[in-house]
Amino acid sequence: MTTLTYLIPVALFLGGMGLVAFIWALRSGQYEDLDGAAERILIEDDVAPRR
Amino acid sequence: MTCCAPGAEAAADLLTTTLSPDELRLASRQLGDGTSQVELSVPAVHCAACIATIEGSLARLPEVTGARVNLSTRRVTVKWRGDKLPPIVETLSRIGYPPHLFQDGEVGKDRTFAELIRAVAIAGFASGNIMLLSVAVWSGADGATRDLFHLISALIALPTLAFSGAIFYRSAWSALRHGRMNMDVPIAVGITLAYAMSLYETLTHGPHAYFDGVVSLLFFLLIGRTLDHMMRDRARAAVIGLARLAPRGALVIDEAGRRDYRDLAEIAAGDRLLITAGERIPVDGRVEDGASDIDASLVTGESRPQAVAGGGMVRAGTLNLTGPLTVVATAPASDSFLAEMMRMMEAAEGGRTRYRRIADRVSALYAPVVHLTAFITFLGWLAINGDWHQAMTIAIAVLIITCPCALGLAVPIVQVVAGRRLFEHGVMVKDGSAMERLAEADTTVFDKTGTLTLGRPRLVNADDIATELMPIAAELAAHSRHPLSQAIAREATSNGAAPVFADLIEKPGFGIEGRTQGSTWRLGRASWASEGQAADESGTVLARDGRIVANFRFDDVLRQGAAKTIARLKQEGRLVEMLSGDAEPACRATAEKLAIENYAAGLLPAGKVERLEELAREGRKVLFVGDGLNDAPALGAAHVSIAPATAADVGRNAADFVFLRESLEAVPLAIEVSRRAGRLIRQNIALALVYNAIAVPIAILGYVTPLIAAIAMSGSSILVIANALRLLAGSRAPATSVEAEKRPSSLEPAAAS
């Protein structure tokens, strides 16, 4: 029973951290261009794009 | 011709407006500290290489401080420092991504979507944690531990209900206030009563609390709602990304001869406007000076360009093809043809406002039944043993078990899957009700110019023209923007040696003239080319020193897949009609080629609406497919409507579906997918009802525990989702026809011959 007194707050705190992290990511615009994010991994930063 | 190199333009580019620096400046906004920002739509972006190319090229411009491509919305945001406008449009056009502006009204973040996502996140967090505690209760925790777990669950559930549940409360409230019933009313009542009862149970140390049921119900329903919103949002973003065809402003010449680029709203009747070749005419007006050809295909449906000169009237939205014009505005933009069409469209708003969505119709029946069942259960148990508390508990268990989780998901999940399937084939769906209405349609009415045909002429008698004359005609034609000239230039093969012309002059409204080896060649209007000798002859000719040597005949190119589409619709037993604003002979030719028996030519916009209303009175549900400005009222009046991506802005906004690829086969595809979606929706509703038929008696008899409720709820939801996914099965089959659609049909319009 005593373990519950700290395990439950710990569980809720960790879950809450996840929620806060998600909302932060949402606010900072990381979900605004999902297609672009998927493609950008293919761009090589070191080589300047040439055309 | 402000930004694009002449000659580099394809014929299709005539449909898009050129974007002048003035327009760009008007669209940009100041960010403070000397930085300006503009957002442009670049529909051609589609991969990582595109992103790198665009961002790289723009970043190399010295004034530009930042460029960021958004691939989902196909837009690029450019920031620059200083007053000087960097050559953004030129740079983008040069590297092959011609930019467009989009309407101001649509800019800005989507608040609803952000709220939905936040609500899903919170409901997800809450249901996860409460479920964790519930598993402990289900597996035997009791006494103080159980009460503690219930209390913590109640504390987590309360803010969830307030935030995530608010979406349902608001919607239910607005429905009730207007005396209507929607799916959210039973949801709102159910979750509120369940929460209140569980809280009472917790405080009185009772064994059963439904907090897990309440929040996971919210979680499931919010997922469905978010998916639904995403589908619509994606379609909207893609439609907005298309080229805007109405100009944003015009170059106004004042009394003193100064030129000033003014916003469309600031143009008044009596202003003198300068309209260069290739620009769209912004307001209705009278030509004061200059001569040119006007392409009115998007406005009236007439496929042939018309010559205008001093004194002639021009309509807003038409395209000035060959020469610069000075036009005196006869009406401000708010009174122009375009605005009139919009007013007519609003007045005609027919089938879609009367239409009630399947989900709403079901819930209008379902909600009273559910509430009545719960109430009777309550009375029944009260009569049997007179225990208020037990009767209440069981009645609420009935409400929870019937809470339309599966029913709430049944419709949107199918429409999301169907919408995605259509999206993959280049068809955008505005909303779910459009699919329901399309599944009902039994009559298809087409517009001609721009819909069944591409509104782009094609030379039909190239083989009859002497081989030595063709290169000459092609060489002359290559120097003109007139659609007929471009058709000649396209048809010419490069095997003949073309002479070099000196003194090439284009006479707007007449044709083009050039001199070589001592003789004067003219390509254009017969009466002009023959220097008055053949004044009564019409058509386009090539003349040498005033003597006609070749006659050119043209035909409108049929849209790819048009013949197949018509044949398929007729085979399915639908009535097919064609309504056009074009002249009778052109209509007859198209109707004969496509085997359409019923057609009407020379119709005004009001005439089209009248015909649609007549069909509606006969009890027919009409699908209208059209693109022009003159089709906009009809697109609004029809039961359901489809427009191609090249349609006028107003029409595109009025249509329920927009197809991005060239082939007309998008129409039967949309019908087929909508029909299948309709069947799956009915199956899903049946599944949800069967589930209720089994679960409700158990609940009424008082055997439902929170564990059974949780299992039943997730079980039925998964069943419904799995059924909806069946729509994706078999969607890979028509891969070959998809490939064919991607090819530009200007190369080989097979259906036309």
Side-chain angles (χ1 to χ4, degrees), chain A residues 8 15-16 22 32-33 39-40, chain B residues 55 69-72 109 125:
Chain A
I8 288 174
F22 175 73
E32 260 157 44
D33 184 13
E39 294 279 349
R40 272 174 199 277
Chain B
E55 289 181 356
V69 174
N70 185 327
L71 188 65
S72 314
K109 301 229 171 77
F125 162 81

Side-chain angles (χ1 to χ4, degrees), chain B residues 116-140:
Chain B
L116 274 171
I117 287 278
R118 265 200 300 275
V120 170
I122 288 169
F125 162 81
S127 66
N129 282 289
I130 294 177
M131 217 36 112
L132 210 65
L133 298 169
S134 294
V135 169
V137 176
W138 295 338
S139 45

Side-chain angles (χ1 to χ4, degrees), chain B residues 131 191 210-221 399-407 409 691 695 706-721:
Chain B
M131 217 36 112
I191 56 175
Y210 289 95
F211 297 116
D212 49 358
V214 170
V215 289
S216 38
L217 182 73
L218 277 179
F219 186 45
F220 276 121
L221 290 174
L399 265 188
I400 292 175
I401 210 91
T402 53
C403 225
C405 190
L407 215 50
L409 277 174
Y691 147 80
L707 177 61
I708 292 177
I711 291 171
M713 204 147 52
S714 13
S716 64
S717 299
I718 289 168
L719 201 64
V720 161
I721 293 170

Side-chain angles (χ1 to χ4, degrees), chain B residues 39 75 102-111 233 236:
Chain B
E39 222 177 317
R75 283 182 194 165
F102 46 86
Q103 273 116 325
D104 291 321
E106 337 267 1
V107 193
K109 301 229 171 77
D110 188 350
R111 302 213 170 278
D233 207 45
R236 209 169 51 98

Side-chain angles (χ1 to χ4, degrees), chain B residues 53-74:
Chain B
T53 311
I54 291 178
E55 289 181 356
S57 317
L58 286 175
R60 271 201 291 275
L61 298 174
E63 302 92 343
V64 171
T65 54
R68 178 94 184 165
V69 174
N70 185 327
L71 188 65
S72 314
T73 52
R74 313 254 148 126

Side-chain angles (χ1 to χ4, degrees), chain A residues 1 4 8 11-12 15-16 19 22-23 26-27 31-36 39-40 42-43 48-51, chain B residues 47-48 51-53 55-56 60 68-72 95 109 117-118 121-122 125 129 145 149 152 156 234:
Chain A
M1 193 63 191
L4 289 179
I8 288 174
L12 286 179
L19 184 65
F22 175 73
I23 289 176
L26 194 68
R27 287 202 163 194
Y31 288 85
E32 260 157 44
D33 184 13
L34 294 175
D35 296 345
E39 294 279 349
R40 272 174 199 277
L42 300 170
I43 303 174
R50 219 157 284 175
R51 181 95 188 224
Chain B
C47 66
I51 298 176
T53 311
E55 289 181 356
R60 271 201 291 275
R68 178 94 184 165
V69 174
N70 185 327
L71 188 65
S72 314
I95 58 175
K109 301 229 171 77
I117 287 278
R118 265 200 300 275
I122 288 169
F125 162 81
N129 282 289
T145 317
F149 282 3
I152 295 170
I156 301 172
R234 199 167 180 184

Side-chain angles (χ1 to χ4, degrees), chain B residues 19-20 23-25 27-28 37-43 45 58 68-70 73-78 80 87-90 92 97-102 240-241 248:
Chain B
L19 189 55
S20 72
E23 272 193 294
L24 198 62
R25 199 178 287 278
S28 66
Q37 176 180 322
V38 72
E39 222 177 317
L40 293 168
S41 163
V42 268
V45 177
L58 286 175
R68 178 94 184 165
V69 174
N70 185 327
T73 52
R74 313 254 148 126
R75 283 182 194 165
V76 59
T77 309
V78 190
W80 71 91
I88 299 168
V89 177
E90 292 82 343
L92 288 173
Y97 301 96
H100 308 289
L101 289 172
F102 46 86
I240 294 166
R248 219 182 167 80

